Amino acid sequence: MASTSSSRYAKHRRIGEDEELEETEEEEEAEEELERFDDFTIASSWERFISEIEAICRQWLADGAKILMQKGAEGVPPFENLYMIKRELKHGKRVYSMEYHFMKSAKGQNSYWDDDTHSMQLSFGVDEFLIIAPLSASGVILDDPESTKLLSSVAIALSNCGSNWPAFVPVHDPSRKAYIGIQNLGTVFTRRFEADRIGSQVPIRLMHLEGLHELFLSKFVLSSTDFPARVKVHFSMKLSYRTPEYDHDNETLDSEATEPLTENEVANHPRKLWDDDCPWAEWYSAEDPVKGFELIAIWGERTFEETLVMAEVENASSFDADSWFLQPVVSQYMVDDSIGKFVGFASQLHLLVNAYESSAEAQFLEDFVADTSGQDNSKSTATVPPPSVIDRVMKDLFSDGTGNYMEAENKYSRAMRGAPADSLFGQFCLHALWFGNCNIRAIAVLWIDFVREIRWCWEESERLPRMKSTSSIDLSSCLIHQKLQMLTICIERKKSLNREKGAGYKDETSNSTAVNKSRKGSAGVVPKMMLLNTFQEMHAPYTQDAPLMTEDMHEERLHAAEAFGNAIGLSGQLERDILCSDMSAFKAANPDAVFEDFIRWHSPGDWVSEDKTDGNAGWPPKGKLSQRMSEHGNVWRKIWNDAPPLPVSEQKSLLDPVREGEKVLHYLETLRPQQLLEQMVCTAFKSSADILNKTMYGGFKEMKTKMDQLYATMASTLKSLQGNSDVNDLAGDLKRLCQVFEHIEKLLILSASIHRKLIDAPRLAQAIFYDYFNFYLPKMGTSLESICYEKEFTTKEKVGMYERDAVSNLFPPPTANQSWRKVLSMGNLLNGHEPMQREIIFSVQERISNGHYSGPTPLCTNDEQIQTHRMYISGTSNDLWVALSVTSWD
């Protein structure tokens, strides 16, 4: 019992002691809260400034990356993984901006050489960081004391809230990129940062890896005598090369020429441009969208113990680098929508669409050419090139073209209804795109002169240039091209008639009473058919082909047939001429034939047979003409009676070349402006696309898909232009089509440039284009509004080992003219070219159990290593930027 009661007493005593202990702890917490109370009535402005920084940092620390992004943290372009949130603070008369940079996801240990690394992360080896600087246009800090005081304020605030964020303050002019910084690593270690820049001639010693290695060692060794025999220094390097610019000024035709060309020789040997052999070069010279390439050569981390090894690395070939990455330097005009920035087919097509909008202002083209001085409208303000320019265009158009133009093999061509690019009208449309500023007045002047030249060819029986010698008309093309095809045929027939007349040819077609009983023009016996009166075999004659007709002629014939066909069986004079020709040929092949024989062969439906169906038909066959052929005054019988027996070889052609030729010229001379511009728009779009489609671009899959989409879009849009179209309704669609055309034209030129520069590395060329295609894709909307697109293309493609030779060819050895500037080389040359930038990271790691960093601490184990010193170096022969971080044990 005694022990039990003693135990119970002890238990109650412990409970009481615990209660007293809890009360004591509560009192101490209350005292601490009172101690932490900020009495701003007696605090200095500096203390209040620190407290404000601390409050902001505590809030950011408590929120974390996810919540800060929800609260409006902004991405830091062009980095995909880096975000930034900032606040403004006031201290005295100065206003400061404090920025906290953080990452959405953790960064890999060896990822500092990738494109998603901020300069502060790369320089100091940190992931997240604070920067505080004056809020001014330049962010200048006036003196070192202010920088130190500002950094101390941030360090105290971060220490109070338990944060280990590294903090940086710019020193002096930020253009020097000079910083000081500090980072608290728990309660044991502190990392301090400093960085500065040499913005003028770099000392020779620091242009070489040996000197830079010694500079790093000097940061933790008091003197050269204290250099340890072997210090394990971790080393990594990144070299950036830029392909040399093409030296146009010093280009000569003969690479061995030593004497400069005279002025006359220069004029006779124009400078060769990059796209001289591209399909569009006949019409314009495109700015090369690929200004060059940047090659990144990376040496992965390795360890060196001697300074002399640095000389070997400096003299090593760039082919020894662990990785190569290639990035094209793309011209800004690729993403710039400003008017006049890009000049190509798309820009000129846009002007042509504007002219199409103006075409409804007048009924005749001459109205646009007439003197309209004093009138304030588009006709009076539009400029027209001088007559000398017009003469040059006409001379080019009507030069002795081959006429062997190629029809575009595209399933959408028929829907677009344009003329082939190499045809006469196709060339007219292409010339019009680049004639003056392609306004309606200039087009009217050019068209009138164009038709005048065509009439001259007609009157002089000269062949039309750029037109095929053909016996058919392409009804899938535009009507103007059909008319020019018809005129080409008429000129050939007209010349043939003139030659026959000159040779004394006698026209026997007028002698309708001439009778010749000999058979002529037979194509063979008609099976199972005999002549009614003579029981002779019936012969099928050779007949003339149907006369050539353009689309509008077919429509006229159809309308005539609808109006008169049921009444007389013939729709007009053309049908009468065809029937008379067939009857004459039938009579020549069958001299003893009668009208009923012709009907049985030509129109079996008009012969009503009365023979028995048992197959034992007698002779002559029993039957009669149909009712319409039996009527009194039947036109067919009258034509039969008048038709002379003439084979095709002796007949007059159904096509009257003189009459049809004059009809074509009348059409061209009286064409309404809107009708002309509609056909010009269709032909210009189709011809421009066909020219671009001849480009050699390596068969990039994405480019081929876009070209197919362009043709489909054009076919859908241009289809609305056929017939009576409303100009106002179609103008917007056509302008959107121009925008689509421009995007694809830019990409096509880019693909051609990449393909020819990397023709020996097709996989790499395809990969680089694919990267840029995906980068550019958001830009390719169909809206007329410009899309804001300020992002810079920075994607790099890894170069395979087997592709390095092809890439190195982008860096030809410097010529004598290019190497006149003697400079001190940094080494690491690639085909004689030094890197435009060299970046190095030196670092030293030490176990905590060794030397200065050893000591009893519950936060670290004796086997743990820390990076005691780290130096990032970036520079050229004229610029050097050094950033150092040192970890100390407090």
Side-chain angles (χ1 to χ4, degrees):
M1 287 292 296
S3 70
T4 303
S5 107
S6 173
S7 175
R8 187 182 297 115
Y9 173 75
K11 179 180 179 181
H12 284 290
R13 184 175 61 184
R14 285 195 301 271
I15 294 173
E17 289 175 354
D18 291 341
E19 292 176 352
E20 290 178 1
L21 181 59
E22 290 178 0
E23 292 176 357
T24 303
E25 290 176 352
E26 290 176 358
E27 291 176 359
E28 290 176 354
E29 289 178 0
E31 289 177 2
E32 289 178 2
E33 289 180 359
L34 290 174
E35 289 177 0
R36 289 200 302 267
F37 176 72
D38 294 328
D39 186 359
F40 288 102
T41 59
I42 60 175
S44 66
S45 61
W46 183 56
E47 291 173 325
R48 289 194 293 270
F49 182 57
I50 294 175
S51 179
E52 187 175 358
I53 295 175
E54 180 182 344
I56 295 172
C57 291
R58 282 182 182 275
Q59 184 63 53
W60 287 347
L61 193 63
D63 287 342
K66 185 175 182 180
I67 296 179
L68 288 177
M69 291 173 63
Q70 294 174 357
K71 287 186 174 182
E74 300 176 353
V76 181
F79 310 107
E80 297 180 358
N81 195 29
L82 189 63
Y83 290 80
M84 181 264 292
I85 193 167
K86 61 182 178 180
R87 289 282 297 274
E88 294 181 5
L89 309 94
K90 188 173 182 181
H91 177 47
K93 296 182 179 179
R94 307 272 319 250
V95 179
Y96 296 92
S97 173
M98 185 168 66
E99 301 176 353
Y100 170 46
H101 295 71
F102 62 93
M103 294 193 303
K104 180 173 60 174
S105 58
K107 199 173 188 64
Q109 183 179 0
N110 298 319
S111 58
Y112 286 112
W113 290 134
D114 64 24
D115 294 333
D116 205 29
T117 302
H118 191 275
S119 60
M120 297 295 287
Q121 294 173 320
L122 180 60
S123 298
F124 300 107
V126 298
D127 289 341
E128 53 187 0
F129 55 92
L130 281 173
I131 295 180
I132 186 167
L135 187 64
S136 63
S138 61
V140 174
I141 293 186
L142 299 179
D143 50 31
D144 290 338
E146 183 179 7
S147 302
T148 304
K149 182 179 180 180
L150 198 56
L151 185 61
S152 299
S153 302
V154 179
I156 294 172
L158 292 175
S159 178
N160 289 343
C161 63
S163 171
N164 63 349
W165 293 340
F168 298 93
V169 174
V171 181
H172 305 300
D173 186 352
S175 64
R176 286 176 53 192
K177 301 170 69 175
Y179 287 91
I180 57 174
I182 192 169
Q183 181 181 19
N184 297 317
L185 300 177
T187 59
V188 179
F189 299 110
T190 301
R191 184 180 295 170
R192 291 176 173 81
F193 309 95
E194 60 176 313
D196 208 345
R197 177 185 178 192
I198 300 176
S200 57
Q201 180 63 46
V202 177
I204 297 178
R205 184 176 67 90
L206 298 182
M207 290 174 57
H208 299 280
L209 292 181
E210 290 181 88
L212 295 174
H213 182 252
E214 292 176 355
L215 173 66
F216 174 64
L217 294 178
S218 69
K219 295 303 178 181
F220 56 92
V221 178
L222 297 178
S223 64
S224 59
T225 59
D226 295 331
F227 274 30
R230 291 181 180 275
V231 178
K232 291 186 177 180
V233 176
H234 297 270
F235 165 84
S236 180
M237 181 169 65
K238 174 183 175 183
L239 300 178
S240 301
Y241 299 90
R242 172 71 182 268
T243 53
E245 294 184 2
Y246 188 66
D247 194 356
H248 289 290
D249 295 332
N250 296 310
E251 179 187 17
T252 58
L253 296 176
D254 185 357
S255 59
E256 299 179 357
T258 56
E259 297 182 0
L261 298 176
T262 65
E263 291 186 6
N264 291 335
E265 289 174 330
V266 171
N268 294 330
H269 300 87
R271 182 180 302 165
K272 182 175 176 60
L273 301 176
W274 81 274
D275 60 346
D276 273 353
D277 55 348
C278 292
W280 64 79
E282 181 182 356
W283 304 103
Y284 69 96
S285 178
E287 176 186 344
D288 193 344
V290 180
K291 295 301 182 183
F293 288 90
E294 288 187 7
L295 173 64
I296 306 299
I298 295 178
W299 274 259
E301 186 172 302
R302 56 198 69 185
T303 303
F304 298 114
E305 296 183 352
E306 295 180 356
T307 300
L308 293 177
V309 181
M310 292 290 101
E312 298 178 6
V313 176
E314 184 173 304
N315 294 323
S317 169
S318 298
F319 283 82
D320 295 337
D322 296 325
S323 302
W324 277 21
F325 294 89
L326 193 65
Q327 172 194 345
V329 181
V330 182
S331 173
Q332 182 60 28
Y333 87 77
M334 285 293 298
V335 293
D336 192 344
D337 282 341
S338 303
I339 297 176
K341 286 294 183 180
F342 174 76
V343 177
F345 283 124
S347 63
Q348 305 310 113
L349 288 170
H350 189 88
L351 296 176
L352 183 62
V353 172
N354 291 339
Y356 168 67
E357 283 188 284
S358 305
S359 64
E361 296 179 3
Q363 293 292 321
F364 304 101
L365 287 165
E366 288 77 9
D367 295 340
F368 292 103
V369 182
D371 184 11
T372 55
S373 57
Q375 299 183 20
D376 186 16
N377 56 29
S378 60
K379 292 183 289 184
S380 60
T381 57
T383 58
V384 177
S388 59
V389 177
I390 300 176
D391 292 341
R392 187 171 68 246
V393 173
M394 290 299 116
K395 183 178 180 181
D396 189 17
L397 281 173
F398 288 88
S399 61
D400 189 19
T402 62
N404 295 323
Y405 52 81
M406 296 294 294
E407 299 287 352
E409 296 181 1
N410 189 289
K411 61 182 179 180
Y412 300 106
S413 298
R414 297 181 66 88
M416 287 185 280
R417 300 297 303 275
D422 295 336
S423 67
L424 184 57
F425 184 61
Q427 288 290 298
F428 170 83
C429 294
L430 289 170
H431 277 80
L433 288 179
W434 305 95
F435 181 68
N437 58 357
C438 196
N439 59 71
I440 183 63
R441 189 180 179 200
I443 291 173
V445 170
L446 194 65
W447 176 256
I448 292 173
D449 273 54
F450 177 71
V451 175
R452 186 180 297 122
E453 291 291 333
I454 291 176
R455 175 165 282 282
W456 181 89
C457 291
W458 165 250
E459 293 176 350
E460 299 296 326
S461 297
E462 292 289 337
R463 182 180 64 85
L464 288 180
R466 307 178 188 276
M467 296 299 296
K468 281 184 178 180
S469 297
T470 179
S471 58
S472 61
I473 292 178
D474 181 11
L475 297 178
S476 67
S477 62
C478 67
L479 186 55
I480 293 177
H481 181 64
Q482 295 178 39
K483 293 292 185 181
L484 293 177
Q485 285 183 313
M486 173 68 81
L487 189 62
T488 300
I489 296 171
C490 289
I491 290 175
E492 292 178 356
R493 300 280 179 88
K494 180 182 174 184
K495 291 171 65 176
S496 178
L497 288 178
N498 290 339
R499 285 195 298 268
E500 291 173 354
K501 290 180 179 179
Y505 172 77
K506 181 179 180 181
D507 187 3
E508 297 180 356
T509 59
S510 59
N511 185 11
S512 59
T513 60
V515 177
N516 189 348
K517 289 293 183 177
S518 62
R519 191 185 311 278
K520 294 182 180 180
S522 172
V525 175
V526 181
K528 298 181 180 181
M529 291 194 72
M530 311 292 286
L531 298 181
L532 293 176
N533 290 347
T534 62
F535 196 60
Q536 296 176 356
E537 292 180 325
M538 181 183 292
H539 287 252
Y542 287 107
T543 58
Q544 293 196 48
D545 293 332
L548 297 174
M549 288 185 288
T550 58
E551 183 180 10
D552 59 335
M553 294 170 66
H554 278 286
E555 292 178 355
E556 291 176 3
R557 185 181 183 188
L558 179 62
H559 293 159
E562 292 175 351
F564 306 108
N566 292 334
I568 60 174
L570 299 173
S571 59
Q573 184 61 44
L574 178 60
E575 277 66 24
R576 294 170 184 264
D577 293 342
I578 295 173
L579 185 59
C580 181
S581 172
D582 291 347
M583 289 179 174
S584 294
F586 187 84
K587 283 185 176 181
N590 301 279
D592 296 322
V594 294
F595 178 64
E596 287 77 2
D597 290 324
F598 176 78
I599 295 299
R600 291 168 59 217
W601 169 74
H602 189 277
S603 183
D606 286 309
W607 175 258
V608 182
S609 178
E610 297 177 349
D611 287 333
K612 297 180 180 180
T613 59
D614 57 3
N616 296 320
W619 187 262
K622 296 181 180 180
K624 62 180 180 179
L625 295 174
S626 65
Q627 181 178 356
R628 70 166 187 154
M629 291 297 175
S630 303
E631 292 177 352
H632 179 70
N634 180 267
V635 176
W636 283 52
R637 186 177 290 276
K638 182 176 186 306
I639 296 175
W640 170 266
N641 295 333
D642 296 337
L646 291 174
V648 169
S649 59
E650 299 177 11
Q651 291 184 16
K652 182 179 180 181
S653 173
L654 290 174
L655 176 68
D656 185 342
V658 177
R659 181 184 63 197
E660 297 301 330
E662 289 295 338
K663 285 183 179 180
V664 170
L665 288 167
H666 176 74
Y667 169 82
L668 298 176
E669 291 170 342
T670 60
L671 192 63
R672 294 180 58 186
Q674 184 175 340
Q675 293 174 329
L676 171 63
L677 267 296
E678 284 176 355
Q679 297 180 66
M680 285 186 65
V681 167
C682 291
T683 298
F685 269 103
K686 177 181 178 296
S687 298
S688 300
D690 288 345
I691 290 173
L692 292 177
N693 203 28
K694 297 177 183 177
T695 305
M696 302 296 294
Y697 55 82
F700 299 157
K701 180 177 65 175
E702 296 78 17
M703 192 68 252
K704 185 178 185 305
T705 300
K706 278 298 172 185
M707 284 302 299
D708 290 342
Q709 292 176 357
L710 175 62
Y711 275 109
T713 305
M714 287 195 305
S716 175
T717 304
L718 298 178
K719 187 177 182 181
S720 303
L721 275 175
Q722 301 167 23
N724 298 323
S725 55
D726 190 333
V727 173
N728 296 327
D729 292 341
L730 292 176
D733 293 338
L734 291 173
K735 289 179 180 179
R736 279 185 286 272
L737 180 59
C738 291
Q739 189 70 42
V740 173
F741 198 104
E742 178 175 326
H743 290 314
I744 296 178
E745 185 175 8
K746 285 180 178 179
L747 280 177
L748 189 73
I749 296 173
L750 176 76
S751 65
S753 180
I754 293 175
H755 167 64
R756 61 179 48 208
K757 289 177 175 63
L758 294 172
I759 194 169
D760 294 326
R763 184 213 63 87
L764 184 61
Q766 168 72 68
I768 288 176
F769 178 76
Y770 178 76
D771 290 338
Y772 193 86
F773 178 83
N774 290 331
F775 164 82
Y776 191 82
L777 199 57
K779 183 75 175 173
M780 299 182 66
T782 57
S783 172
L784 294 179
E785 299 296 328
S786 175
I787 301 175
C788 181
Y789 205 77
E790 299 177 354
K791 187 177 179 182
E792 183 179 357
F793 178 69
T794 58
T795 305
K796 298 175 179 62
E797 192 64 36
K798 188 171 184 177
V799 180
M801 294 296 295
Y802 63 93
E803 296 169 330
R804 291 192 178 187
D805 286 333
V807 172
S808 67
N809 292 333
L810 298 173
F811 299 83
T815 63
N817 289 329
Q818 293 170 333
S819 60
W820 64 268
R821 184 173 64 94
K822 303 300 181 181
V823 296
L824 296 173
S825 173
M826 299 189 301
N828 297 118
L829 301 181
L830 175 61
N831 291 348
H833 300 275
E834 67 178 9
M836 66 173 183
Q837 184 182 22
R838 178 169 60 192
E839 300 172 80
I840 302 170
I841 295 178
F842 290 119
S843 64
V844 171
Q845 297 181 356
E846 188 171 336
R847 293 185 184 277
I848 297 175
S849 59
N850 295 338
H852 175 71
Y853 295 92
S854 63
T857 171
L859 301 178
C860 303
T861 65
N862 288 337
D863 291 334
E864 184 176 350
Q865 285 189 335
I866 62 171
Q867 192 179 72
T868 61
H869 292 77
R870 182 186 188 276
M871 179 179 285
Y872 168 76
I873 303 169
S874 173
T876 65
S877 59
N878 296 318
D879 185 271
L880 188 66
W881 153 253
V882 180
L884 177 68
S885 62
V886 179
T887 303
S888 60
W889 177 46
D890 296 335

